[in-house]
Amino acid sequence: AHARTHTRTRTPTPTPTQPSLQRETSTASVSFFDPTGTSATDSMSSDLVTESTNDLDDDMLDALDEAKPISSETGRALLQELDAKQPEPPPAAASDGKGERAPEGYISRAEYAQVAGSSYELLVAACDLAHVRCAKLLGVRTRDVSFTKLRIGEIVQLSRQVEEFIAVTEKITGRQSHRNLRASLMTQCKKVVERFHEEHRSQLSMLLDGERWQQAEVPFELQSLISQLETAENLKQAGVRPPSPSQPSRAHGKVSKSHLMVRGEQFAVAGAPLFLLKMVSEYCQCVNDMPVLVSDILNRLLDLLRLFNKRTGSLVLGAEARRSTGLKTITAKHLALASRCLDAVLSYLPLARVHFQTFLPLRQRVLLTEFDPVFQDYRTHRSEILNKLVSMMEDTIARQLLKWEAKAPIPSASFQGISKQTCKLHEALAPILSPDQLELVFNNVQLSFRTHFLDRIKRLAITPGGPQHGLVSAELNFLAEHLNSLEGLPDLGETLMDVWHHS
């Protein structure tokens, strides 16, 4: 009688042994009662239906009409109140179990079971209706501009409240809740994650476009986070949110460092890659907060990593940084720093991969293989940068040897020029590259020199033991001494004299 005419009512299907209560007629389900017991049950069931639907309409439907959300405390109180209104069983003496009529003022056990069943169906219908109305209310709210600007933390708080509400209704009814509310919440969570990702893509692109590829200091907070992740099972256990590298780097008396330490290795890095590492840890925190969206968050993290790799290649190897930042040229130092930035990301990513693995169900862990092509792209890019460094020095060697003649004075201007450029290259690369990479680059530089030098002496018809043999040997000894003096490359010049054996 108190229900609104526009309210959609879920009418339970009656069974032969359990008639259902109808919202439209509160006494319909008790018509089988004997006249002597009808008065008592009429009042009980009518009050249950009236008060239940009245409470539901006033608290839930008015909120939907006026787009005012109900607090989780109000929702829980309403459901618990409905649950408490289920009738108590009659005294054991109310029926002898043989179908005889109960004493006046009581109902039989069979009649009680039918009333309790109908009341339970009413309670389930009320919970289902509450879920449908909350889902619609959430849909109404999502059309509000302010709702579309929710941050990750805010949508997480909303998700927890909704899940708590769902858990309460499932506990009361003993049934799985209506899917509409979870589906509506999931849709909104995906929208927030997508906006979170787009903001990070935009920010990273902007940072890369303004990057001048100079070594940056590493904030203590970021280094502390990475160090904890190396020994923690995942980001949640570490319990640290990464700070912004642009913020002051002092914390509890700690200062920033010149190099980033990841898994026992030092990396010289620029500013933009530091932000990328911070963003990766934020994606890990995001999957902590919304584990149900782990596959979506993983795909977006991989997209962010591909963006960094592709854009870095365009800016450094493609020299677009000259236009975006005004750099006059891309130097060997810029190339080396970009290479080490790729190395730092490659060293850090396995930590993120293990973190996501803890949230992925076994059947979805095949998604982790998507990291493999990303790793390979980074390694390929790094190799291209190192080859570019060798190529730059190879051009210098070719130009110098093109004008070289085997004649006094010794050392010639060409060999002095090669020695000088080799030392400058070592000076630029040694503080940035790892020892293995430094050795790889200079070994390739030496091979390049041998190739071009052999070609030159063949063109000049110089042979071992000939009249110019002494001059050539002196030139090679001069260059070998300088190469052996380079720090970290003690034996680089030892094989230069073998050039005669290949002439």
Side-chain angles (χ1 to χ4, degrees):
H2 292 76
R4 299 188 178 184
T5 58
H6 68 278
T7 303
R8 183 175 66 181
T9 306
R10 174 180 172 181
T11 305
T13 304
T15 64
T17 60
Q18 184 177 322
S20 61
L21 292 177
Q22 306 293 321
R23 291 187 68 182
E24 292 78 11
T25 308
S26 60
T27 60
S29 62
V30 293
S31 60
F32 57 85
F33 291 159
D34 185 87
T36 58
T38 302
S39 59
T41 55
D42 275 351
S43 176
M44 176 182 63
S45 59
S46 178
D47 288 346
L48 175 62
V49 176
T50 299
E51 294 177 17
S52 299
T53 55
N54 189 42
D55 290 343
L56 183 61
D57 289 339
D58 291 342
D59 289 343
M60 187 64 70
L61 301 181
D62 282 344
L64 179 61
D65 294 337
E66 301 176 10
K68 294 180 179 178
I70 293 177
S71 67
S72 58
E73 291 78 6
T74 303
R76 285 195 299 270
L78 171 60
L79 293 173
Q80 291 168 355
E81 183 179 353
L82 292 176
D83 189 32
K85 290 178 181 178
Q86 297 189 68
E88 296 292 333
S95 174
D96 59 6
K98 300 180 180 179
E100 295 182 3
R101 195 176 309 283
E104 185 175 356
Y106 292 94
I107 62 175
S108 69
R109 287 287 186 180
E111 293 167 342
Y112 162 76
Q114 291 178 334
V115 173
S118 298
S119 299
Y120 172 73
E121 290 299 327
L122 175 62
L123 181 62
V124 171
C127 290
D128 286 345
L129 182 60
H131 278 242
V132 172
R133 294 298 186 180
C134 284
K136 290 184 177 180
L137 179 59
L138 186 59
V140 170
R141 285 296 183 184
T142 57
R143 293 194 289 270
D144 189 351
V145 175
S146 61
F147 190 93
T148 61
K149 296 181 179 179
L150 286 179
R151 314 302 300 177
I152 288 292
E154 294 169 330
I155 197 67
V156 167
Q157 183 180 4
L158 174 62
S159 299
R160 289 172 179 169
Q161 290 178 344
V162 170
E163 288 297 333
E164 184 180 357
F165 170 71
I166 292 174
V168 170
T169 59
E170 290 181 343
K171 181 179 180 181
I172 291 175
T173 63
R175 295 185 182 182
Q176 188 175 5
S177 62
H178 204 286
R179 294 183 179 181
N180 284 3
L181 182 55
R182 272 199 175 100
S184 181
L185 177 64
M186 184 68 65
T187 300
Q188 302 312 318
C189 287
K190 287 183 178 181
K191 290 181 180 179
V192 171
V193 169
E194 181 62 29
R195 187 176 64 253
F196 167 85
H197 176 58
E198 290 300 324
E199 288 176 353
H200 280 68
R201 276 183 59 93
S202 176
Q203 185 180 22
L204 181 60
S205 296
M206 180 181 66
L207 291 170
L208 285 171
D209 288 342
E211 179 61 65
R212 297 185 64 84
W213 299 102
Q214 297 176 349
Q215 186 173 349
E217 291 190 341
V218 181
F220 168 77
E221 297 89 340
L222 182 60
Q223 179 62 72
S224 177
L225 171 68
I226 294 175
S227 299
Q228 291 185 54
L229 285 178
E230 292 178 7
T231 55
E233 181 180 354
N234 53 45
L235 188 63
K236 186 176 181 180
Q237 288 181 333
V240 180
R241 276 186 175 273
S244 169
S246 64
Q247 295 174 350
S249 57
R250 295 182 176 272
H252 306 294
K254 304 295 184 178
V255 296
S256 58
K257 302 294 184 180
S258 60
H259 288 74
L260 178 70
M261 181 71 71
V262 182
R263 301 169 72 185
E265 185 176 358
Q266 286 189 339
F267 299 90
V269 290
L274 284 177
F275 272 93
L276 174 66
L277 296 180
K278 167 183 173 290
M279 291 175 181
V280 172
S281 62
E282 288 176 348
Y283 278 71
C284 291
Q285 183 63 47
C286 185
V287 78
N288 275 350
D289 295 332
M290 290 185 286
V292 70
L293 295 179
V294 57
S295 59
D296 296 80
I297 299 171
L298 174 58
N299 288 331
R300 284 160 177 78
L301 172 60
L302 294 172
D303 178 68
L304 189 76
L305 294 171
R306 294 187 189 99
L307 171 66
F308 174 80
N309 186 50
K310 181 178 179 180
R311 191 65 188 135
T312 299
S314 300
L315 290 168
V316 181
L317 281 177
E320 290 184 12
R322 292 186 301 175
R323 183 179 68 254
S324 62
T325 62
L327 292 175
K328 294 181 178 180
T329 184
I330 302 297
T331 66
K333 190 173 183 178
H334 295 146
L335 290 167
L337 191 60
S339 173
R340 286 304 275 170
C341 289
L342 296 174
D343 283 333
V345 177
L346 277 172
S347 184
Y348 180 73
L349 284 184
L351 300 175
R353 179 173 180 165
V354 171
H355 177 79
F356 275 86
Q357 181 178 337
T358 62
F359 289 90
L360 282 170
L362 287 176
R363 66 180 183 277
Q364 288 187 314
R365 289 190 178 178
V366 66
L367 295 175
L368 294 173
T369 59
E370 295 298 322
F371 274 102
D372 296 337
V374 173
F375 290 158
Q376 186 58 45
D377 289 342
Y378 273 65
R379 295 188 186 101
T380 301
H381 187 184
R382 179 187 60 191
S383 297
E384 291 174 351
I385 292 177
L386 296 181
N387 290 338
K388 180 65 175 178
L389 290 171
V390 175
S391 176
M392 292 170 63
M393 191 62 198
E394 185 176 14
D395 292 340
T396 299
I397 293 171
R399 287 196 305 270
Q400 292 292 343
L401 290 179
L402 186 62
K403 55 187 178 182
W404 174 75
E405 298 288 344
K407 59 182 181 181
I410 302 298
S412 64
S414 296
F415 269 73
Q416 287 181 5
I418 292 173
S419 175
K420 180 179 179 181
Q421 291 301 318
T422 303
C423 291
K424 289 180 63 176
L425 180 65
H426 180 269
E427 182 181 351
L429 302 187
I432 299 175
L433 296 182
S434 68
D436 290 343
Q437 291 174 335
L438 187 67
E439 184 177 358
L440 175 64
V441 169
F442 278 90
N443 282 338
N444 288 332
V445 168
Q446 188 214 56
L447 290 175
S448 175
F449 169 81
R450 289 165 63 94
T451 300
H452 286 279
F453 186 71
L454 283 171
D455 181 67
R456 183 59 180 169
I457 61 177
K458 286 180 181 179
R459 289 178 178 273
L460 297 176
I462 299 174
T463 59
Q468 296 171 309
H469 180 96
L471 291 174
V472 173
S473 296
E475 294 273 39
L476 293 175
N477 282 330
F478 165 78
L479 183 59
E481 289 177 1
H482 279 78
L483 293 181
N484 288 335
S485 67
L486 298 178
E487 185 178 357
L489 304 168
D491 302 324
L492 185 61
E494 293 298 325
T495 59
L496 279 184
M497 300 305 297
D498 293 342
V499 70
W500 291 114
H501 301 295
H502 299 281
S503 61

